[in-house]
Amino acid sequence: MSSKRKVFLAFCFCILNMFLLVGFCVIRDATMLNVLKKEERELLKLSMTSSRYTREIQSRGDYAIVEKSVKKYLDNYAVSIQDTLSIMDDDTLLNILSYDNYCQDGPSFSKSLNYLKSTKESFNHNIDYLISLSEEDTLRDGGSSKLKDSYYMDLYNQFMLSDDMKQRFSDNNILLSNAKIKVNHVIDVSVDVLNFLSKNQDSWKVEDGKIQFVTEDLYNQYMTYISKLA
């Protein structure tokens, strides 16, 4: 075999290997993209207000970085919204105007008033933080620290800024806004009640499972506050 033929065959072999390598990379990327898209569809089945996004990573390579970034952002959001909304089932808040609390913390209610103040500040801060997490710029920033390549950043944004995700965040913002109004109302009325009782601490007592006032006028004022919670 001549040297020219050997060179030609070696060249053809290199070209074939190059095509095989390119073909392998294309197939691998297409496979990982499908895996990522399938997992994203699974994530859409989860509820942000009751689920976690700590599912095992299914894709590999840079696609796995996209998947991890999506899940990390959504899990952080899910944990935050669940913790924030749990105040609506908090025993301390629900029982702040109870007979037992009147007995334990009355008549000055310094502990209860401090709790209400700190709870309101923390709750409102968390609501504002959660709403900021649903903003488009914040969603984009969620992947920018890990995804330097524009292709993979686009994959991240395609999911996080999709119509489905935008609708979920929008629905949650309505839920959060309503919860903010409701919880702040309960806290504000509770503060008014406890301040009223503290101010008139020599004019009421708890007995036989209920609160009693020395005058009907004070009782009526108390009931006016309480009626706001109905």
Side-chain angles (χ1 to χ4, degrees):
M1 181 182 294
S2 66
S3 60
K4 288 184 178 180
R5 183 172 178 79
K6 290 180 180 179
V7 171
F8 175 75
L9 290 175
F11 175 75
C12 290
F13 182 74
C14 290
I15 294 296
L16 178 61
N17 281 342
M18 182 181 70
F19 277 111
L20 289 175
L21 180 61
V22 170
F24 171 78
C25 292
V26 170
I27 293 173
R28 182 195 60 187
D29 280 5
T31 300
M32 286 299 102
L33 179 59
N34 286 333
V35 170
L36 176 63
K37 295 297 183 182
K38 181 180 179 181
E39 183 64 10
E40 288 176 345
R41 289 193 292 273
E42 292 299 316
L43 295 180
L44 288 173
K45 298 177 182 179
L46 301 177
S47 169
M48 293 177 174
T49 57
S50 61
S51 303
R52 294 290 302 273
Y53 291 81
T54 52
R55 291 168 56 89
E56 184 177 348
I57 300 300
Q58 301 298 316
S59 54
R60 296 193 298 274
D62 288 327
Y63 292 95
I65 299 177
V66 175
E67 186 180 341
K68 289 177 183 177
S69 298
V70 166
K71 289 179 176 177
K72 181 179 179 180
Y73 194 98
L74 293 180
D75 194 59
N76 175 58
Y77 180 90
V79 169
S80 296
I81 194 171
Q82 290 166 33
D83 286 347
T84 299
L85 294 179
S86 68
I87 187 63
M88 302 179 77
D89 297 315
D90 182 68
D91 287 339
T92 302
L93 180 60
L94 294 175
N95 296 309
I96 202 81
L97 301 181
S98 67
Y99 174 84
D100 287 342
N101 193 54
Y102 288 172
C103 292
Q104 295 170 10
D105 198 33
S108 62
F109 297 103
S110 57
K111 181 179 178 180
S112 297
L113 288 168
N114 285 332
Y115 160 81
L116 291 171
K117 181 177 183 294
S118 62
T119 297
K120 182 176 181 178
E121 291 175 351
S122 175
F123 176 76
N124 288 335
H125 171 78
N126 290 341
I127 292 288
D128 293 340
Y129 169 68
L130 282 163
I131 291 176
S132 75
L133 287 181
S134 69
E135 295 173 353
E136 186 169 322
D137 288 343
T138 312
L139 289 168
R140 291 182 184 277
D141 289 342
S144 61
S145 62
K146 296 290 185 180
L147 303 168
K148 304 304 181 184
D149 189 289
S150 60
Y151 170 74
Y152 296 103
M153 190 68 210
D154 286 343
L155 288 178
Y156 172 88
N157 288 331
Q158 284 173 20
F159 178 71
M160 294 300 288
L161 300 176
S162 65
D163 290 340
D164 285 333
M165 291 304 298
K166 286 182 177 179
Q167 186 61 53
R168 286 169 179 263
F169 282 119
S170 177
D171 291 342
N172 285 340
N173 285 346
I174 293 174
L175 175 66
L176 290 168
S177 296
N178 290 336
K180 186 175 184 179
I181 293 172
K182 181 177 180 180
V183 172
N184 276 277
H185 176 70
V186 170
I187 291 176
D188 290 342
V189 172
S190 298
V191 168
D192 289 341
V193 171
L194 297 183
N195 280 331
F196 169 76
L197 293 177
S198 178
K199 180 180 178 180
N200 298 281
Q201 58 184 264
D202 294 328
S203 301
W204 61 272
K205 64 180 179 178
V206 283
E207 191 174 74
D208 299 327
K210 59 183 179 180
I211 186 169
Q212 299 178 349
F213 291 86
V214 296
T215 68
E216 185 175 353
D217 181 60
L218 287 173
Y219 173 76
N220 290 336
Q221 291 183 55
Y222 171 78
M223 291 307 299
T224 297
Y225 286 121
I226 295 298
S227 67
K228 295 178 181 179
L229 295 174

